[in-house]
């Protein structure tokens, strides 16, 4: 039996670090903390090691395609694939940030949607039978969906929306913000919300594809909301600690062997949410 392996993106702090901590305690296998910055990643590994845990480290910047392919090659070579992938890396501008909305939209979607999609393009083929994939999304995505025009809502919710169509819609949002036409074309004024709307929809599309292309492999892929968590992103007033925020992502990562669901769902507080 080869060693099982779990990989968590953007995990040198916040919810990602808490997910690694929980997996080190509960997952039978090697757990990789990853971060863009090697120094910060190694500091985070050292802090968990001082707690008596044994995380491993791999440099991984999801905004750098070369970094993604290097990491993918490493896990394929060393482990023959990946058993658990948690796409946690993401960014959000502060409410008070004065960055022009068009730039905010481009930067936010680049990481939260397009770069996470790049991760999935290169890592989904490595997911082993019985594997688990968790995309850390947000309830803001659902709120953004409900703020879209009825026509846009229908396009996002249609059962057979394709990945190409979704990518086109995400790019359209970015392009429309540059011309300040997004509102009149039915888009909400939230770059973070739209990025997470895209990520949750992408999760549903890719889960359907896995079911069709690898029906006997028992892989479960879901999106989830960790809740409002005290992190650099959400600030000190949030209601949950990072360890509490890790609960739902870790629950989905550790769904027992043979489980048939949830799959292709949006999950919050360990419960499937209507979309």
């Amino acid at each position: 039996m080869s060693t099982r392996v779990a990989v968590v993106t953007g995990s040198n702090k916040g919810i990602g670090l808490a997910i690694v901590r929980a997996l080190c305690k509960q997952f039978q296998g090697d757990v990789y903390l990853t971060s863009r910055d090697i120094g910060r990643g190694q500091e985070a590994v050292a802090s968990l090691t001082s707690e008596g845990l044994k995380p491993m480290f791999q440099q991984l910047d999801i905004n750098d395609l070369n970094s993604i392919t290097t990491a993918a090659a490493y896990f394929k070579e060393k482990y023959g694939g990946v058993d658990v992938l948690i796409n946690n890396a993401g960014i959000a501008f502060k409410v008070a940030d004065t960055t022009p909305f068009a730039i905010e939209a481009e930067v936010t979607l680049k990481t939260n949607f397009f770069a996470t999609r790049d991760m999935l393009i290169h890592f989904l083929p490595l997911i082993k039978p019985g594997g688990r994939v968790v995309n850390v999304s947000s309830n803001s995505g659902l709120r953004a969906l409900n703020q879209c025009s009825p026509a846009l809502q229908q396009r996002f919710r249609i059962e057979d929306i394709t990945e190409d169509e979704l990518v086109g819609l995400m790019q359209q949002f970015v392009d429309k913000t540059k011309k300040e036409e997004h509102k009149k074309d039915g888009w909400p004024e939230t770059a973070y919300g739209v990025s997470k709307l895209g990520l949750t929809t992408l999760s549903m599309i890719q889960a359907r594809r896995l079911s069709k292309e690898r029906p006997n492999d028992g892989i479960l892929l879901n999106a989830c909301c960790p809740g409002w968590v005290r992190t650099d992103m959400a600030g000190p007033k949030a209601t949950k600690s990072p360890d509490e925020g890790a609960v739902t992502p870790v629950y989905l990562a550790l769904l027992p062997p043979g489980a048939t669901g949830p799959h292709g769902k949006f999950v919050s507080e360990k419960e499937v949410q209507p979309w």
Side-chain angles (χ1 to χ4, degrees):
M1 277 291 284
S2 61
T3 305
R4 299 181 74 231
V5 62
V7 180
V8 187
T9 69
S11 50
N12 61 294
K13 62 180 183 176
I15 297 167
L17 182 64
I19 290 170
V20 172
R21 178 183 289 114
L23 288 176
C24 282
K25 295 173 182 175
Q26 298 174 56
F27 177 74
Q28 301 294 314
D30 291 346
V31 180
Y32 275 79
L33 182 153
T34 73
S35 72
R36 290 183 296 196
D37 184 283
I38 291 174
R40 285 186 196 145
Q42 289 172 338
E43 278 173 29
V45 166
S47 79
L48 290 179
T49 304
S50 73
E51 295 175 27
L53 304 172
K54 294 180 180 172
M56 301 175 82
F57 179 70
Q58 171 69 30
Q59 192 277 338
L60 178 54
D61 177 359
I62 69 166
N63 278 307
D64 176 357
L65 205 49
N66 190 39
S67 176
I68 291 176
T69 55
T70 299
Y74 169 81
F75 289 111
K76 186 174 185 185
E77 169 73 20
K78 182 160 183 180
Y79 297 94
V82 171
D83 298 280
V84 170
L85 172 65
I86 301 185
N87 284 308
N88 165 76
I91 61 164
F93 284 79
K94 302 279 190 237
V95 176
D97 198 301
T98 55
T99 303
F101 188 67
I103 295 172
E104 196 177 303
E106 185 163 32
V107 171
T108 304
L109 268 76
K110 181 177 186 290
T111 296
N112 294 0
F113 179 77
F114 291 103
T116 304
R117 178 173 174 255
D118 288 338
M119 269 297 297
L120 289 159
I121 287 169
H122 291 277
F123 273 78
L124 275 186
L126 302 183
I127 302 298
K128 295 181 186 177
R132 306 287 180 252
V133 181
V134 184
N135 294 327
V136 178
S137 191
S138 170
N139 282 327
S140 331
L142 185 54
R143 282 197 296 274
L145 175 60
N146 291 327
Q147 290 165 5
C148 286
S149 67
L152 273 176
Q153 286 190 44
Q154 192 178 4
R155 287 180 74 185
F156 280 114
R157 285 193 166 112
I158 196 164
E159 271 290 304
D160 57 357
I161 183 174
T162 65
E163 190 166 327
D164 285 346
E165 185 180 2
L166 175 63
V167 167
L169 283 166
M170 292 290 104
Q171 190 58 53
Q172 180 193 94
F173 171 71
V174 173
D175 294 343
K176 296 285 183 192
T177 63
K178 289 176 182 171
K179 300 174 188 166
E180 298 187 352
E181 292 176 352
H182 56 287
K183 281 194 194 160
K184 79 171 179 61
D185 285 341
W187 292 97
E189 184 80 5
T190 164
Y192 183 77
V194 170
S195 75
K196 294 300 193 178
L197 157 58
L199 180 58
T200 301
T201 307
L202 179 66
S203 305
M204 295 171 175
I205 291 168
Q206 294 192 329
R208 287 198 290 271
R209 186 188 305 150
L210 278 170
S211 298
K212 189 175 161 194
E213 294 177 0
R214 299 176 63 179
N216 303 316
D217 280 358
I219 297 168
L220 300 178
L221 183 156
N222 293 285
C224 70
C225 178
W228 194 30
V229 180
R230 292 187 293 278
T231 60
D232 289 352
M233 192 184 281
K237 293 182 181 155
T239 48
K240 285 186 175 182
S241 69
D243 288 330
E244 289 167 333
V247 168
T248 293
V250 170
Y251 155 73
L252 291 170
L254 299 179
L255 287 167
T260 54
H263 178 55
K265 303 297 185 191
F266 177 62
V267 179
S268 177
E269 306 297 342
K270 301 206 283 193
E271 296 286 335
V272 172
Q273 303 300 313
W275 183 249

